[in-house]
Amino acid sequence: FDRLLSLASEGQSRAEQEDICQKLLVHGHEAVEPLAVFILDQQETPALGILLELLGKMGDPRAAAVLLEFLESDHAVLRMQAATGLGWLRARLALEALDKLEGTDPDPDVRREARIAVEEILREFPRLGTLLKHHKPVPLGDDDPAIEDEAAEIDEGPLTSGERRLLSGI
């Protein structure tokens, strides 16, 4: 965990960070508790985002309590990663907090991730949608949430070979 955090803190290669994450994901549920303890022992910095992402990807419901704590972080990236992780977990207990985040967070990226997380949870618990105050439904596909790109973000040039591999899942 220390190595991953130091790589993120130093802005090192995302590929190396992903490699470490993949190795940790192999340990699955047995790594959740040590990772949660490690995260809670750290000073809150944006670099912790990679560890929150990893915690959410582990798919263990015990991670929800830690991720919930970070919904109130001073760092937008930590709020965003916590919301994303809670969506992956489809953590019903986070629904009210995510709804509030969607309606009140000052950062538009955090609000978007909170909205997507709420939609993911509602896929599992659709009747809970009537209890929400701020949520604006977003159409979701079978696998992934739909995110609309701004016109300025769309590059009309030809795809690189790396982009083609990414799009084709290779």
Side-chain angles (χ1 to χ4, degrees):
F1 304 135
D2 280 324
R3 176 77 176 131
L4 186 55
L5 185 59
S6 69
L7 285 172
S9 296
E10 297 164 8
Q12 295 294 319
S13 164
R14 180 70 181 179
E16 191 173 350
Q17 293 174 38
E18 289 292 330
D19 184 52
I20 293 171
C21 285
Q22 290 301 321
K23 290 175 183 171
L24 290 170
L25 283 171
V26 171
H27 296 288
H29 297 292
E30 63 194 46
V32 169
E33 191 173 329
L35 178 56
V37 169
F38 181 83
I39 289 171
L40 293 172
D41 284 344
Q42 301 304 307
Q43 181 179 353
E44 225 178 88
T45 65
L48 273 179
I50 188 77
L51 296 177
L52 294 177
E53 179 181 340
L54 176 61
L55 190 61
K57 285 181 177 179
M58 288 181 163
D60 191 306
R62 296 176 296 169
V66 174
L67 294 171
L68 269 167
E69 286 191 35
F70 284 91
L71 290 181
E72 297 179 15
S73 172
D74 291 337
H75 301 282
V77 69
L78 298 182
R79 294 191 309 274
M80 191 167 53
Q81 289 292 11
T84 301
L86 290 163
W88 285 330
L89 294 173
R90 294 194 175 154
R92 169 176 69 192
L93 64 106
L95 199 54
E96 185 178 354
L98 288 166
D99 179 50
K100 181 180 175 189
L101 197 66
E102 177 184 345
T104 63
D105 197 272
D107 188 290
D109 292 331
V110 174
R111 290 193 308 268
R112 184 192 73 232
E113 289 303 320
R115 182 175 69 238
I116 292 168
V118 167
E119 283 295 322
E120 286 297 328
I121 295 166
L122 290 177
R123 289 172 93 181
E124 188 94 6
F125 307 99
R127 293 184 182 165
L128 296 178
T130 60
L131 305 174
L132 304 176
K133 295 178 184 177
H134 303 284
H135 181 61
K136 296 175 187 153
V138 61
L140 296 178
D142 290 336
D143 296 323
D144 294 321
I147 298 174
E148 295 183 26
D149 292 324
E150 298 292 326
E153 296 176 324
I154 300 173
D155 180 13
E156 296 184 22
L159 295 176
T160 67
S161 61
E163 290 169 328
R164 279 192 202 94
R165 281 191 305 244
L166 181 65
L167 287 172
S168 63
I170 299 174

